[in-house]
Amino acid sequence: MGKDIEVTIPDIGGATDVEVIEILVNEGQTIKPDDSLLTLESDKASMEIPATISGTITKLCVAVGDKVSEGDLILKVQALDEKKVDESSQPNDDQSNQPNDVLENNSAATTAHKTTPASSSTADEHTKSLVKQVLVPDIGGATEVEVIELLVAVGDSIAKEQAIVTLEGDKATMDIPAPFAGIVEDLIVKVGDKVAEKSLLLTLKVDEPANLNVENHSLSNHQDTDNTTKVSQALEQNVPSTNDAPLSTAQDSLENLEATKIFAGPAVRRMARELGVNLSVVKGTGRKSRITTRDVQTFIKQKLNEPSQHSWQLPEAVSIDFSQFGHIKTEPLNKIKRLTGSNLHRAWLTVPHVTQFDEADITELEAFRQAKNPKLIHDNVKLTMLAFVVRIVYQALVKFPQFNASLDSTQENLILKHYYNIGIAVDTPNGLVVPVIKNVDTLSIIEIARQMDKLSQKARSKALLPADMSGGCFTISSLGGIGGTAFTPIVNHPEVAILGLSRAQIKPIYQDKTFEPKLMLPLSLSYDHRVIDGAQAARFTQYIATALTDIRNILL
Ligand code: CAO
């Protein structure tokens, strides 16, 4: 490891005690030449100090609020490239000139405006025209800078030295002050325009101070002129004898200007532009309410967390006093009901649901089950129809992988799962819970039946652990033991489908030109239509119905 290189404030045009308003790097960060290190702010300009070497910052030696001058230590860097290090200890002319130019030129420009306002005006002071042009002053030879903010509007009455536009170059932003007072007659540039020295920014109709100058000029040449003459001279010169803009308008305009004035460095402005943030609504926490990058980040976070204002937002729940209609008793919802309710609500609002209905002929399967169960009594196992359905659903998930999937949080990718965990909705006195039978692919139908029995007992005795209810891929909700012909279960989001079973009934099914009594099991498959098409849902349900009809399919 080489020794640390000290990075200092370069030539900033002789300015001293310039304030550090933002640190743009952190200790441990790797930097390269031209990366912005910090932002300085003088009276008239903010500028970023660029790095001149590559390396890793080992120590930051300044803090926000510090006052710095040329040669002050900014930070220490463990150099990456020895050659660059040598160059960096003597910053090259181009780089060291950058901040220098900005400060020098900006202050020079300001001085020029102060001492010779006409230098940025094409209007001839001795002519009678009141419309003056305001040009971009000397901006240090920069050939193209961008107009990033207009600080005045047509009709605004502005004071001399008041900032009229903000320009942004590669490394600095600067407010261009008005060279004289007046009323903005025409704005020639708009935000985004590229300008250079002497580009026309706006035209100003001279305001009261200028009028007074003209009047004073007249007076000095005509000492004996009375008021009437003064007025007529003023009229001759198209100078209004009274101030056009009422005081209140001028004040309003100043207030508006204060409100629209945005204090932010180039990096912050760039970031805001890239992210589409309107800086005028961001609260600045820096000195003099300056907006920092952190303020922009905080603003974005707040916006993301704000409740949606979309028109489909749910209206607030109504509050009705039901006791006005009769006796009532209020019972708080238990924890399970509150949790389940919020999950179901989220799923209902998030998932575009469609339910596909079908029927499975389970006549033979039911006969098989009835015959098998007495033999299983000794093993303490009872086969229910549900155990067969779980096994068949696993086979269907293998055949139709998009049903064993979830959308990721961006909703742009489908996560396909290569494990098979099936949740079973269990009705308990405390509410609905969904324990999960893990790795169904490794279990026989009898083992599935055992697991189901164990989990539903655990559920009803409130003994389920969070691990028993997590990791599901697909859910089955069976109301067959209770009754009903069909229902529309809610997808257990982020799963993409749920199969509902209703009570099997013997129905006359037309087959081989006769009606045969068949035990038909109603299937209700609800699915997330963002992931699954109707045709896929119909095929999936058909596959289950067919497999249940011919039990040999289960054993394959
Ligand atoms: N058609 C006809 N009879 C059925 C049947 C069906 N689809 N499903 C079950 N039965 C019968 C069973 O065979 C059993 O009868 P026998 O005792 O004569 O064999 C009886 O109904 C009771 O079964 P069960 O409900 O105890 O067992 P199961 O394996 O079918 O279901 C479980 C287990 C835990 C899913 C169930 O008890 C349960 O809690 N169901 C409710 C689920 C629920 O609330 N879903 C709604 C969620 S909201 O979407």
PDB file of all heavy atoms in Angstrom, residues 479-502:
ATOM      1  N   LEU A 479     -64.417 -27.596   0.874  1.00  0.00           N
ATOM      2  CA  LEU A 479     -65.642 -27.410   1.658  1.00  0.00           C
ATOM      3  C   LEU A 479     -66.562 -28.609   1.468  1.00  0.00           C
ATOM      4  O   LEU A 479     -67.742 -28.565   1.845  1.00  0.00           O
ATOM      5  CB  LEU A 479     -66.341 -26.115   1.214  1.00  0.00           C
ATOM      6  CG  LEU A 479     -65.578 -24.824   1.549  1.00  0.00           C
ATOM      7  CD1 LEU A 479     -66.260 -23.609   0.926  1.00  0.00           C
ATOM      8  CD2 LEU A 479     -65.460 -24.629   3.059  1.00  0.00           C
ATOM      9  N   GLY A 480     -65.974 -29.672   0.862  1.00  0.00           N
ATOM     10  CA  GLY A 480     -66.774 -30.867   0.526  1.00  0.00           C
ATOM     11  C   GLY A 480     -67.422 -31.503   1.736  1.00  0.00           C
ATOM     12  O   GLY A 480     -68.542 -32.013   1.643  1.00  0.00           O
ATOM     13  N   GLY A 481     -66.726 -31.472   2.878  1.00  0.00           N
ATOM     14  CA  GLY A 481     -67.295 -32.082   4.089  1.00  0.00           C
ATOM     15  C   GLY A 481     -68.479 -31.288   4.615  1.00  0.00           C
ATOM     16  O   GLY A 481     -69.249 -31.779   5.436  1.00  0.00           O
ATOM     17  N   ILE A 482     -68.641 -30.049   4.149  1.00  0.00           N
ATOM     18  CA  ILE A 482     -69.703 -29.179   4.671  1.00  0.00           C
ATOM     19  C   ILE A 482     -70.888 -29.099   3.700  1.00  0.00           C
ATOM     20  O   ILE A 482     -72.031 -29.275   4.098  1.00  0.00           O
ATOM     21  CB  ILE A 482     -69.139 -27.772   4.959  1.00  0.00           C
ATOM     22  CG1 ILE A 482     -67.957 -27.879   5.959  1.00  0.00           C
ATOM     23  CG2 ILE A 482     -70.214 -26.846   5.518  1.00  0.00           C
ATOM     24  CD1 ILE A 482     -67.115 -26.644   6.087  1.00  0.00           C
ATOM     25  N   GLY A 483     -70.603 -28.857   2.413  1.00  0.00           N
ATOM     26  CA  GLY A 483     -71.685 -28.771   1.430  1.00  0.00           C
ATOM     27  C   GLY A 483     -71.429 -27.673   0.416  1.00  0.00           C
ATOM     28  O   GLY A 483     -70.379 -27.029   0.434  1.00  0.00           O
ATOM     29  N   GLY A 484     -72.387 -27.491  -0.464  1.00  0.00           N
ATOM     30  CA  GLY A 484     -72.260 -26.463  -1.504  1.00  0.00           C
ATOM     31  C   GLY A 484     -71.940 -27.071  -2.852  1.00  0.00           C
ATOM     32  O   GLY A 484     -71.430 -28.190  -2.935  1.00  0.00           O
ATOM     33  N   THR A 485     -72.247 -26.320  -3.900  1.00  0.00           N
ATOM     34  CA  THR A 485     -72.040 -26.857  -5.246  1.00  0.00           C
ATOM     35  C   THR A 485     -70.815 -26.256  -5.936  1.00  0.00           C
ATOM     36  O   THR A 485     -70.221 -26.880  -6.801  1.00  0.00           O
ATOM     37  CB  THR A 485     -73.267 -26.570  -6.133  1.00  0.00           C
ATOM     38  OG1 THR A 485     -73.545 -25.166  -6.070  1.00  0.00           O
ATOM     39  CG2 THR A 485     -74.490 -27.348  -5.664  1.00  0.00           C
ATOM     40  N   ALA A 486     -70.442 -25.049  -5.574  1.00  0.00           N
ATOM     41  CA  ALA A 486     -69.267 -24.392  -6.168  1.00  0.00           C
ATOM     42  C   ALA A 486     -69.012 -23.115  -5.377  1.00  0.00           C
ATOM     43  O   ALA A 486     -69.900 -22.629  -4.670  1.00  0.00           O
ATOM     44  CB  ALA A 486     -69.511 -24.046  -7.631  1.00  0.00           C
ATOM     45  N   PHE A 487     -67.803 -22.611  -5.443  1.00  0.00           N
ATOM     46  CA  PHE A 487     -67.503 -21.313  -4.822  1.00  0.00           C
ATOM     47  C   PHE A 487     -66.298 -20.698  -5.526  1.00  0.00           C
ATOM     48  O   PHE A 487     -65.679 -21.331  -6.394  1.00  0.00           O
ATOM     49  CB  PHE A 487     -67.285 -21.442  -3.309  1.00  0.00           C
ATOM     50  CG  PHE A 487     -66.071 -22.245  -2.879  1.00  0.00           C
ATOM     51  CD1 PHE A 487     -64.984 -21.625  -2.263  1.00  0.00           C
ATOM     52  CD2 PHE A 487     -66.009 -23.622  -3.058  1.00  0.00           C
ATOM     53  CE1 PHE A 487     -63.880 -22.352  -1.833  1.00  0.00           C
ATOM     54  CE2 PHE A 487     -64.898 -24.369  -2.643  1.00  0.00           C
ATOM     55  CZ  PHE A 487     -63.832 -23.730  -2.031  1.00  0.00           C
ATOM     56  N   THR A 488     -65.998 -19.466  -5.167  1.00  0.00           N
ATOM     57  CA  THR A 488     -64.876 -18.784  -5.829  1.00  0.00           C
ATOM     58  C   THR A 488     -63.818 -18.464  -4.772  1.00  0.00           C
ATOM     59  O   THR A 488     -63.834 -17.384  -4.182  1.00  0.00           O
ATOM     60  CB  THR A 488     -65.342 -17.486  -6.512  1.00  0.00           C
ATOM     61  OG1 THR A 488     -66.019 -16.691  -5.553  1.00  0.00           O
ATOM     62  CG2 THR A 488     -66.267 -17.767  -7.667  1.00  0.00           C
ATOM     63  N   PRO A 489     -62.888 -19.407  -4.522  1.00  0.00           N
ATOM     64  CA  PRO A 489     -61.862 -19.148  -3.502  1.00  0.00           C
ATOM     65  C   PRO A 489     -60.942 -17.999  -3.920  1.00  0.00           C
ATOM     66  O   PRO A 489     -60.776 -17.733  -5.114  1.00  0.00           O
ATOM     67  CB  PRO A 489     -61.088 -20.467  -3.415  1.00  0.00           C
ATOM     68  CG  PRO A 489     -61.379 -21.190  -4.680  1.00  0.00           C
ATOM     69  CD  PRO A 489     -62.698 -20.705  -5.182  1.00  0.00           C
ATOM     70  N   ILE A 490     -60.362 -17.326  -2.915  1.00  0.00           N
ATOM     71  CA  ILE A 490     -59.428 -16.227  -3.198  1.00  0.00           C
ATOM     72  C   ILE A 490     -58.019 -16.797  -3.251  1.00  0.00           C
ATOM     73  O   ILE A 490     -57.601 -17.538  -2.358  1.00  0.00           O
ATOM     74  CB  ILE A 490     -59.520 -15.133  -2.111  1.00  0.00           C
ATOM     75  CG1 ILE A 490     -60.916 -14.512  -2.129  1.00  0.00           C
ATOM     76  CG2 ILE A 490     -58.451 -14.067  -2.309  1.00  0.00           C
ATOM     77  CD1 ILE A 490     -61.137 -13.464  -1.052  1.00  0.00           C
ATOM     78  N   VAL A 491     -57.290 -16.446  -4.317  1.00  0.00           N
ATOM     79  CA  VAL A 491     -55.919 -16.924  -4.486  1.00  0.00           C
ATOM     80  C   VAL A 491     -55.088 -16.525  -3.264  1.00  0.00           C
ATOM     81  O   VAL A 491     -55.174 -15.385  -2.800  1.00  0.00           O
ATOM     82  CB  VAL A 491     -55.299 -16.338  -5.778  1.00  0.00           C
ATOM     83  CG1 VAL A 491     -53.811 -16.662  -5.869  1.00  0.00           C
ATOM     84  CG2 VAL A 491     -56.033 -16.855  -7.009  1.00  0.00           C
ATOM     85  N   ASN A 492     -54.310 -17.488  -2.750  1.00  0.00           N
ATOM     86  CA  ASN A 492     -53.472 -17.233  -1.577  1.00  0.00           C
ATOM     87  C   ASN A 492     -52.186 -16.535  -2.059  1.00  0.00           C
ATOM     88  O   ASN A 492     -51.137 -17.134  -2.176  1.00  0.00           O
ATOM     89  CB  ASN A 492     -53.177 -18.591  -0.915  1.00  0.00           C
ATOM     90  CG  ASN A 492     -52.578 -18.450   0.462  1.00  0.00           C
ATOM     91  OD1 ASN A 492     -52.496 -17.349   1.001  1.00  0.00           O
ATOM     92  ND2 ASN A 492     -52.149 -19.564   1.029  1.00  0.00           N
ATOM     93  N   HIS A 493     -52.318 -15.255  -2.377  1.00  0.00           N
ATOM     94  CA  HIS A 493     -51.228 -14.446  -2.933  1.00  0.00           C
ATOM     95  C   HIS A 493     -49.978 -14.524  -2.034  1.00  0.00           C
ATOM     96  O   HIS A 493     -50.124 -14.480  -0.823  1.00  0.00           O
ATOM     97  CB  HIS A 493     -51.723 -13.002  -3.021  1.00  0.00           C
ATOM     98  CG  HIS A 493     -50.746 -12.043  -3.575  1.00  0.00           C
ATOM     99  ND1 HIS A 493     -50.324 -12.081  -4.879  1.00  0.00           N
ATOM    100  CD2 HIS A 493     -50.084 -11.015  -2.987  1.00  0.00           C
ATOM    101  CE1 HIS A 493     -49.456 -11.102  -5.073  1.00  0.00           C
ATOM    102  NE2 HIS A 493     -49.285 -10.449  -3.944  1.00  0.00           N
ATOM    103  N   PRO A 494     -48.763 -14.680  -2.540  1.00  0.00           N
ATOM    104  CA  PRO A 494     -48.339 -14.555  -3.942  1.00  0.00           C
ATOM    105  C   PRO A 494     -48.394 -15.843  -4.757  1.00  0.00           C
ATOM    106  O   PRO A 494     -47.770 -15.914  -5.818  1.00  0.00           O
ATOM    107  CB  PRO A 494     -46.895 -14.082  -3.801  1.00  0.00           C
ATOM    108  CG  PRO A 494     -46.406 -14.692  -2.537  1.00  0.00           C
ATOM    109  CD  PRO A 494     -47.604 -14.755  -1.631  1.00  0.00           C
ATOM    110  N   GLU A 495     -49.099 -16.868  -4.268  1.00  0.00           N
ATOM    111  CA  GLU A 495     -49.330 -18.017  -5.151  1.00  0.00           C
ATOM    112  C   GLU A 495     -50.203 -17.531  -6.304  1.00  0.00           C
ATOM    113  O   GLU A 495     -50.750 -16.423  -6.242  1.00  0.00           O
ATOM    114  CB  GLU A 495     -50.040 -19.133  -4.357  1.00  0.00           C
ATOM    115  CG  GLU A 495     -49.170 -19.700  -3.249  1.00  0.00           C
ATOM    116  CD  GLU A 495     -49.934 -20.604  -2.282  1.00  0.00           C
ATOM    117  OE1 GLU A 495     -51.063 -21.019  -2.607  1.00  0.00           O
ATOM    118  OE2 GLU A 495     -49.400 -20.864  -1.192  1.00  0.00           O
ATOM    119  N   VAL A 496     -50.344 -18.339  -7.342  1.00  0.00           N
ATOM    120  CA  VAL A 496     -51.085 -17.850  -8.505  1.00  0.00           C
ATOM    121  C   VAL A 496     -52.381 -18.618  -8.763  1.00  0.00           C
ATOM    122  O   VAL A 496     -53.115 -18.280  -9.699  1.00  0.00           O
ATOM    123  CB  VAL A 496     -50.205 -17.853  -9.783  1.00  0.00           C
ATOM    124  CG1 VAL A 496     -49.091 -16.840  -9.664  1.00  0.00           C
ATOM    125  CG2 VAL A 496     -49.657 -19.240 -10.077  1.00  0.00           C
ATOM    126  N   ALA A 497     -52.645 -19.651  -7.940  1.00  0.00           N
ATOM    127  CA  ALA A 497     -53.905 -20.377  -8.150  1.00  0.00           C
ATOM    128  C   ALA A 497     -54.298 -21.112  -6.879  1.00  0.00           C
ATOM    129  O   ALA A 497     -53.458 -21.399  -6.020  1.00  0.00           O
ATOM    130  CB  ALA A 497     -53.762 -21.362  -9.305  1.00  0.00           C
ATOM    131  N   ILE A 498     -55.584 -21.379  -6.767  1.00  0.00           N
ATOM    132  CA  ILE A 498     -56.119 -22.115  -5.608  1.00  0.00           C
ATOM    133  C   ILE A 498     -57.249 -23.007  -6.124  1.00  0.00           C
ATOM    134  O   ILE A 498     -58.023 -22.596  -6.998  1.00  0.00           O
ATOM    135  CB  ILE A 498     -56.622 -21.125  -4.524  1.00  0.00           C
ATOM    136  CG1 ILE A 498     -57.154 -21.885  -3.310  1.00  0.00           C
ATOM    137  CG2 ILE A 498     -57.674 -20.165  -5.048  1.00  0.00           C
ATOM    138  CD1 ILE A 498     -57.417 -20.990  -2.090  1.00  0.00           C
ATOM    139  N   LEU A 499     -57.297 -24.226  -5.605  1.00  0.00           N
ATOM    140  CA  LEU A 499     -58.351 -25.147  -6.053  1.00  0.00           C
ATOM    141  C   LEU A 499     -59.372 -25.327  -4.938  1.00  0.00           C
ATOM    142  O   LEU A 499     -59.020 -25.706  -3.814  1.00  0.00           O
ATOM    143  CB  LEU A 499     -57.740 -26.520  -6.411  1.00  0.00           C
ATOM    144  CG  LEU A 499     -58.745 -27.565  -6.886  1.00  0.00           C
ATOM    145  CD1 LEU A 499     -59.372 -27.170  -8.233  1.00  0.00           C
ATOM    146  CD2 LEU A 499     -58.089 -28.942  -6.996  1.00  0.00           C
ATOM    147  N   GLY A 500     -60.623 -25.057  -5.247  1.00  0.00           N
ATOM    148  CA  GLY A 500     -61.701 -25.268  -4.284  1.00  0.00           C
ATOM    149  C   GLY A 500     -62.436 -26.563  -4.616  1.00  0.00           C
ATOM    150  O   GLY A 500     -62.684 -26.853  -5.786  1.00  0.00           O
ATOM    151  N   LEU A 501     -62.757 -27.350  -3.558  1.00  0.00           N
ATOM    152  CA  LEU A 501     -63.534 -28.578  -3.743  1.00  0.00           C
ATOM    153  C   LEU A 501     -64.870 -28.399  -3.033  1.00  0.00           C
ATOM    154  O   LEU A 501     -64.897 -27.964  -1.881  1.00  0.00           O
ATOM    155  CB  LEU A 501     -62.803 -29.783  -3.142  1.00  0.00           C
ATOM    156  CG  LEU A 501     -61.371 -30.038  -3.621  1.00  0.00           C
ATOM    157  CD1 LEU A 501     -60.782 -31.246  -2.890  1.00  0.00           C
ATOM    158  CD2 LEU A 501     -61.339 -30.271  -5.133  1.00  0.00           C
ATOM    159  N   SER A 502     -65.949 -28.737  -3.738  1.00  0.00           N
ATOM    160  CA  SER A 502     -67.266 -28.673  -3.079  1.00  0.00           C
ATOM    161  C   SER A 502     -67.796 -30.095  -2.912  1.00  0.00           C
ATOM    162  O   SER A 502     -67.128 -31.068  -3.259  1.00  0.00           O
ATOM    163  CB  SER A 502     -68.224 -27.818  -3.908  1.00  0.00           C
ATOM    164  OG  SER A 502     -67.733 -26.497  -3.938  1.00  0.00           O
TER     165      SER A 502
END
